[in-house]
Amino acid sequence: MFPALETELKQETLPDPYEDFMYRHLQYYGYFKAQRASLPNSATNQHVWKNNSRHLLNSSLGERDELVADHLQKEKLFSDSLMLNSPLLKSRQLLHNDFGDLSPRLREPPDLFAFFSGNGPLQAPRWPVECEVIKENVHHIEWVPPQPEYFYQPTGNERLPEIVGEERGIVVYQLDSVPTEGSYFTSSRVGGRRGIIKEVAVRLQGPEDNTLLFESRFESGNLQKAVRVNTYEYELTLRTDLYTDKHTQWFYFRVQNTRKDATYRFTIVNLLKPKSLYTIGMKPLMYSQLDASTHSIGWRREGNEIKYYKNNSDDGQQPFYCLTWTVQFPHDQDTCYFAHFYPYTYTDLQCYLLTIVNNPVQSQFCKLRTLCRSLAGNTVYLLTITNPSRTPKEAAAKKAVVLSARVHPGESNGSWVMKGFLDFILSNSPDAQLLRDIFIFKVVPMLNPDGVIVGNYRCSLAGRDLNRHYKTILKESFPCIWYTRNMIKRVLEEREVLLYCDFHGHSRKNNIFLYGCNNNDRKYWLHERVFPLMLSKNAPDTFSFHSCNFKVQKSKEGTGRVVMWRMGILNSYTIESTFGGSTLGSKRDMHFTTEDLKSLGYHVCDTLLDFCDPDQTKFAQCLAELEELLQQEIHKKFHELGDDMDLETGWSDISLSDIESSTSGSDSSLSDGLPVHLLNIADELSQKKICKKKKKKSLQTRKQRNDKHQKNNLMQKSKLTEDAQSQLNRRNEGTSLNRSKMTALILTKNKERMQREKPEYTLSRPSKRSTDTSQEPAPALKPHWSRNRYPATKRGHDALTEYPSLHIYTYP
């Protein structure tokens, strides 16, 4: 039909692109056996790839040290389209080999749920393409110190080192090209930046050179620069959260080439918080590789001459604060790590989840699924934990409990509390089995895996605090919290959510406490405070009820706690565990260990059983105690102001939000808003949302308009009558509060009352609980509350010894 075109095609020497592609594809998968000279031997390529240790995760996952980063498997290419032999064929599906050449095979198809099997590899962490990552696998053993680790007691003679900087010091470690404010995340890959890993530390000049070798380019690591200012003295600069210019708090780095008997001084020079637990005795954590391998000693609190102070170097920008401490290393030529708190990485979580998947018993009642993919493509896992129900009616009657952790990546405390909760709820304890019978647990153990991987303190790769964006409509930019909120919405449509807990860490207050939301419904007045009061009685040495706060501030409207509360979850909490330790009971002035944090996870389960006990005596006792405490607080404040108030008649009508102080939360509690590159997207989505709303129908007839006008007039008259009547009542009674005065009042917690003995439970628990989860108290029950602890035999706690992973001696 077209002779000229046919002649041209016959002269074309290039192979047909589709045919060439299919030959390669079929040969790789073993379906095409013919030999073609033009095709490379794909079997050879496959053999080389499968035996390259740099690009595989070892299939034997029993030993954590054998895991190696996978640089090829499931790799997503974001660079320009690649070419094969034919310039007509372009594809993003083909992979590179070690030398950067194209490997003629398709990448493995992605798993539907990204769910690892018991014999398969873990998903290797994905990093932003700007980040360099070393190939070494960093792993630490778990260890609990046999002796208490007490707070540091200042002597008053601590030295405040003068900040020298690069001008008079020697830079011995510095990261290049770290993305900060003004840039934004574009793409990610396993292993981070392509190419050869640069040497960012100095080279030793010989065996006598005692310069420390620093490194932080590993999972959760954070150190930007190290300057040597004296023989054994170093100034350290932390890296801000990626794509921001703030949030320097979390540090985690490695030093090598140590000397045993020398006293080293480290000074972090760019911290941003004016207050810190380091001012009241908190010590940094240190880990010795030689001690771990020879004596099985893990992380421990170390440091002397600890001082937290303001950096006097004024560069016209925001003020910085310094943390300085001295330390002596236990061995020569050792590899040691320093950290703000016990690290818990994304790989640690995956290894833990793998043990659940491989456990034939636990996998029957714990289902692991993918909630979503993070901005960098890392899997956000969702666990559903419940025992199988015998009937559909029984399944529908179960209430839900939602727990999450690590929305702030530098608050690794949350992961240790979550681990303790999972250890217990997945155990064979009778209490754990009962909880699984009556509840469905939805657990998101790591909400912000991207931030955890890169070593951020507070933000995701969007450069924003996820715990201020739970109301976001930007699913692609904030997928972790968007899908979490959507999952909870779906659960609420099916059943009641009794409890929502988000586990966090706190950098300025000791002990464990929580933030809740005051309830305005008079039917459930003070009910939101019952669970934390019970928790304080179950964990009196670690949990402080008097540090809890229930005020909903405007700056916290975007937090998970407030958003879930507004969605209808009455008991919606942020549980804060300190980076430091306890000031209560038998653990007074002691640092928390990982075991202390894991025990809180157990106590959450224990308190949940108390909270839902069909015998509502304890619930009623807690309500009575809460009313008494609140009465005393209000009376005390009015007495200080010189006012008299009839508390018997009018005190319960006071708004709790007016009398409660603001939370002492993070210095960065205000949201930064959306990044610039997301503003237009948010506006477009908002406009689309508005357009979808149905327009109100206009009133067509005169009769409709008249009816509406009369209705409005009647409502106005009714409102005026009610206002006049209320003014008259206020004039006659004279006992109601002056609202302008109450708005100005901010009641602080009574420190004397905090030190007073708290009443505790004495009632014996029935040997077997009912599965009724109703939480309505019996109003007439107000029994005496004794000061004795629960008996140790409560609910058959001796049965817990069957589960070896829990250290029962730390629990009551």
Side-chain angles (χ1 to χ4, degrees):
M1 186 180 295
F2 300 100
L5 180 59
E6 290 177 358
T7 305
E8 185 178 350
L9 288 176
K10 289 178 182 178
Q11 295 174 354
E12 181 63 46
T13 58
L14 290 174
D16 178 69
Y18 179 76
E19 183 184 20
D20 188 71
F21 167 79
M22 289 305 299
Y23 273 129
R24 296 172 185 274
H25 178 67
L26 295 175
Q27 187 181 44
Y28 172 74
Y29 285 102
Y31 295 110
F32 182 77
K33 303 298 184 181
Q35 297 296 323
R36 298 182 64 200
S38 60
L39 289 178
N41 189 341
S42 60
T44 304
N45 290 338
Q46 183 178 357
H47 175 76
V48 172
W49 173 70
K50 286 189 174 180
N51 288 278
N52 190 334
S53 60
R54 288 183 57 202
H55 303 296
L56 289 182
L57 286 171
N58 196 300
S59 59
S60 176
L61 296 172
E63 294 294 330
R64 165 68 158 65
D65 290 331
E66 295 175 0
L67 297 180
V68 187
D70 180 0
H71 290 270
L72 288 181
Q73 188 175 6
K74 301 180 182 177
E75 181 175 3
K76 183 178 181 182
L77 301 178
F78 289 92
S79 59
D80 294 338
S81 297
L82 303 173
M83 285 190 177
L84 259 180
N85 298 331
S86 170
L88 302 177
L89 179 61
K90 296 182 179 180
S91 173
R92 294 172 182 262
Q93 301 289 317
L94 301 175
L95 302 179
H96 287 97
N97 60 17
D98 285 349
F99 308 102
D101 300 328
L102 288 177
S103 180
R105 62 179 182 80
L106 290 177
R107 63 184 173 95
E108 296 296 323
D111 295 332
L112 182 60
F113 292 102
F115 175 68
F116 44 76
S117 64
N119 297 322
L122 299 178
Q123 179 192 3
R126 299 184 65 89
W127 297 70
V129 292
E130 302 96 332
C131 295
E132 284 190 340
V133 186
I134 61 173
K135 309 304 178 188
E136 300 172 49
N137 179 41
V138 175
H139 168 57
H140 306 297
I141 63 171
E142 282 191 45
W143 177 73
V144 179
Q147 300 297 328
E149 297 179 309
Y150 289 96
F151 293 159
Y152 173 73
Q153 299 300 322
T155 62
N157 300 321
E158 288 81 9
R159 183 166 69 91
L160 305 184
E162 179 187 358
I163 306 305
V164 173
E166 299 181 29
E167 292 77 11
R168 290 183 286 167
I170 302 172
V171 177
V172 295
Y173 177 82
Q174 184 166 11
L175 296 183
D176 297 327
S177 304
V178 175
T180 56
E181 182 71 22
S183 58
Y184 56 88
F185 171 78
T186 56
S187 60
S188 66
R189 67 183 295 272
V190 173
R193 183 189 297 180
R194 291 187 185 278
I196 300 174
I197 302 299
K198 298 179 181 177
E199 292 290 340
V200 294
V202 295
R203 290 181 177 274
L204 297 179
Q205 302 303 312
E208 301 302 321
D209 190 344
N210 57 7
T211 305
L212 288 180
L213 301 178
F214 290 82
E215 185 57 82
S216 66
R217 294 172 296 173
F218 47 80
E219 197 173 348
S220 295
N222 189 314
L223 180 66
Q224 172 72 36
K225 182 171 65 174
V227 179
R228 190 182 190 186
V229 297
N230 209 328
T231 306
Y232 298 111
E233 189 168 343
Y234 295 85
E235 290 178 359
L236 310 177
T237 302
L238 302 185
R239 195 209 69 222
T240 60
D241 283 5
L242 294 187
Y243 313 108
T244 76
D245 59 359
K246 34 184 203 176
H247 307 303
T248 51
Q249 179 75 27
W250 170 260
F251 62 87
Y252 176 30
F253 58 89
R254 182 182 77 189
V255 293
Q256 293 176 308
N257 196 37
T258 61
R259 298 295 186 267
K260 180 178 179 181
D261 296 323
T263 299
Y264 290 83
R265 176 178 290 276
F266 299 100
T267 304
I268 299 174
V269 299
N270 68 327
L271 297 168
L272 291 174
K273 293 192 175 186
K275 296 180 181 179
S276 172
L277 287 168
Y278 290 109
T279 62
I280 52 176
M282 177 175 159
K283 293 182 178 182
L285 281 158
M286 190 188 80
Y287 183 96
S288 165
Q289 198 74 53
L290 285 177
D291 277 348
S293 59
T294 57
H295 305 296
S296 297
I297 297 175
W299 288 99
R300 57 182 185 258
R301 300 282 180 172
E302 290 288 351
N304 286 300
E305 298 185 50
I306 301 172
K307 190 72 175 178
Y308 192 91
Y309 61 100
K310 187 175 181 180
N311 187 339
N312 292 324
S313 58
D314 187 9
D315 56 359
Q317 299 178 357
Q318 57 184 336
F320 288 122
Y321 295 84
C322 299
L323 168 66
T324 187
W325 75 94
T326 61
V327 69
Q328 290 187 338
F329 293 110
H331 304 284
D332 285 326
Q333 301 297 328
D334 195 2
T335 296
C336 293
Y337 295 82
F338 289 96
H340 181 59
F341 201 72
Y342 299 97
Y344 193 95
T345 66
Y346 182 63
T347 302
D348 290 332
L349 172 66
Q350 290 196 106
C351 290
Y352 180 77
L353 296 179
L354 193 63
T355 63
I356 299 174
V357 173
N358 288 333
N359 188 306
V361 177
Q362 294 178 349
S363 58
Q364 295 301 310
F365 50 77
C366 177
K367 302 303 180 184
L368 182 62
R369 294 291 182 267
T370 293
L371 177 66
C372 65
R373 295 283 190 144
S374 66
L375 205 58
N378 293 297
T379 302
V380 181
Y381 295 102
L382 171 67
L383 289 82
T384 302
I385 304 170
T386 189
N387 283 341
S389 302
R390 289 169 291 184
T391 64
K393 185 177 179 180
E394 182 181 318
K398 288 186 177 182
K399 296 182 181 181
V401 174
V402 180
L403 300 103
S404 61
R406 294 303 284 277
V407 68
H408 292 152
E411 297 172 0
S412 57
N413 334 40
S415 285
W416 291 107
V417 176
M418 180 65 77
K419 188 175 187 298
F421 166 80
L422 291 174
D423 281 346
F424 180 77
I425 200 65
L426 298 175
S427 71
N428 60 356
S429 161
D431 283 355
Q433 294 176 21
L434 178 59
L435 285 169
R436 297 195 301 266
D437 284 337
I438 61 180
F439 290 111
I440 295 176
F441 294 91
K442 294 286 186 178
V443 180
V444 185
M446 192 170 286
L447 274 166
N448 189 356
D450 295 348
V452 172
I453 289 168
V454 301
N456 279 2
Y457 174 61
R458 198 167 185 86
C459 296
S460 71
L461 294 184
R464 292 298 182 267
D465 181 350
L466 293 182
N467 202 35
R468 298 295 181 271
H469 290 275
Y470 267 89
K471 297 193 291 186
T472 185
I473 59 175
L474 300 177
K475 178 170 65 173
E476 288 76 16
S477 300
F478 302 99
C480 307
I481 53 174
W482 191 94
Y483 280 97
T484 299
R485 185 190 65 198
N486 199 48
M487 177 268 294
I488 296 174
K489 274 185 180 179
R490 293 199 306 271
V491 174
L492 282 168
E493 291 171 358
E494 300 173 356
R495 64 189 76 248
E496 177 188 349
V497 176
L498 181 68
L499 180 71
Y500 167 83
C501 285
D502 190 20
F503 296 128
H504 284 246
H506 205 280
S507 64
R508 294 184 295 161
K509 291 171 66 175
N510 278 313
N511 305 314
I512 302 170
F513 51 95
L514 61 75
Y515 297 136
C517 301
N518 282 322
N519 182 35
N520 299 322
D521 188 345
R522 308 307 300 174
K523 181 181 178 182
Y524 301 109
W525 194 61
L526 295 179
H527 282 205
E528 73 281 352
R529 304 184 181 213
V530 173
F531 184 86
L533 183 60
M534 287 182 171
L535 186 55
S536 70
K537 297 176 185 298
N538 286 331
D541 294 336
T542 57
F543 189 91
S544 169
F545 176 75
H546 295 289
S547 296
C548 298
N549 198 291
F550 300 87
K551 184 168 185 175
V552 179
Q553 298 172 263
K554 187 176 181 180
S555 62
K556 304 297 178 69
E557 284 289 338
T559 62
R561 160 178 64 101
V562 177
V563 170
M564 302 312 160
W565 173 65
R566 296 206 183 281
M567 286 168 54
I569 304 176
L570 174 66
N571 304 294
S572 180
Y573 306 116
T574 297
I575 295 187
E576 301 273 358
S577 53
T578 181
F579 288 109
S582 175
T583 61
L584 306 171
S586 62
K587 288 189 175 293
R588 186 178 182 86
D589 296 333
M590 298 180 190
H591 285 94
F592 279 158
T593 65
T594 57
E595 206 61 38
D596 293 321
L597 296 175
K598 288 195 288 186
S599 71
L600 177 68
Y602 157 76
H603 287 305
V604 168
C605 297
D606 193 35
T607 305
L608 189 56
L609 284 173
D610 289 332
F611 189 69
C612 299
D613 197 328
D615 180 2
Q616 288 290 287
T617 303
K618 291 175 185 174
F619 195 101
Q621 285 180 291
C622 283
L623 279 179
E625 181 180 343
L626 288 168
E627 290 177 2
E628 182 182 354
L629 291 174
L630 191 60
Q631 260 189 336
Q632 293 174 0
E633 194 168 347
I634 296 171
H635 188 277
K636 180 177 180 295
K637 192 61 181 179
F638 271 84
H639 182 72
E640 291 174 356
L641 295 173
D643 286 353
D644 293 327
M645 180 182 178
D646 185 3
L647 293 178
E648 296 298 327
T649 60
W651 74 275
S652 62
D653 294 326
I654 299 173
S655 172
L656 297 177
S657 298
D658 289 336
I659 64 173
E660 194 161 25
S661 62
S662 301
T663 64
S664 68
S666 167
D667 296 329
S668 51
S669 47
L670 290 175
S671 173
D672 293 329
L674 290 174
V676 176
H677 68 283
L678 296 180
L679 292 177
N680 291 336
I681 302 175
D683 291 341
E684 290 175 6
L685 290 175
S686 299
Q687 291 298 326
K688 289 180 181 178
K689 201 172 182 180
I690 293 173
C691 292
K692 287 181 179 178
K693 292 182 179 179
K694 295 181 179 179
K695 295 182 179 180
K696 293 182 179 179
K697 293 182 179 180
S698 58
L699 300 175
Q700 299 295 329
T701 65
R702 178 176 294 181
K703 185 177 183 301
Q704 288 175 323
R705 293 196 296 270
N706 288 341
D707 290 344
K708 185 176 181 180
H709 182 68
Q710 290 176 5
K711 186 178 179 180
N712 290 339
N713 283 339
L714 287 172
M715 290 177 65
Q716 255 184 349
K717 290 178 182 178
S718 176
K719 188 176 180 182
L720 289 173
T721 305
E722 290 177 0
D723 290 344
Q725 183 65 37
S726 63
Q727 289 178 6
L728 183 63
N729 291 339
R730 282 198 297 269
R731 226 180 280 117
N732 292 336
E733 291 176 5
T735 60
S736 297
L737 291 177
N738 184 331
R739 297 300 298 174
S740 62
K741 182 182 295 185
M742 284 306 301
T743 303
L745 291 179
I746 297 180
L747 292 179
T748 57
K749 298 292 182 184
N750 189 341
K751 293 185 178 179
E752 297 176 356
R753 179 163 46 79
M754 287 175 61
Q755 298 171 356
R756 195 179 61 190
E757 282 189 342
K758 299 193 295 291
E760 299 184 359
Y761 300 113
T762 59
L763 299 174
S764 61
R765 189 186 304 274
S767 58
K768 185 176 181 180
R769 294 177 181 270
S770 166
T771 58
D772 181 11
T773 58
S774 172
Q775 63 174 15
E776 291 302 314
L781 295 177
K782 290 189 178 180
H784 176 67
W785 199 301
S786 172
R787 308 252 175 210
N788 294 331
R789 293 281 307 276
Y790 280 133
T793 58
K794 178 183 65 171
R795 285 200 312 274
H797 278 176
D798 53 342
L800 293 179
T801 54
E802 299 176 19
Y803 193 69
S805 67
L806 288 175
H807 295 264
I808 307 306
Y809 60 85
T810 63
Y811 306 144

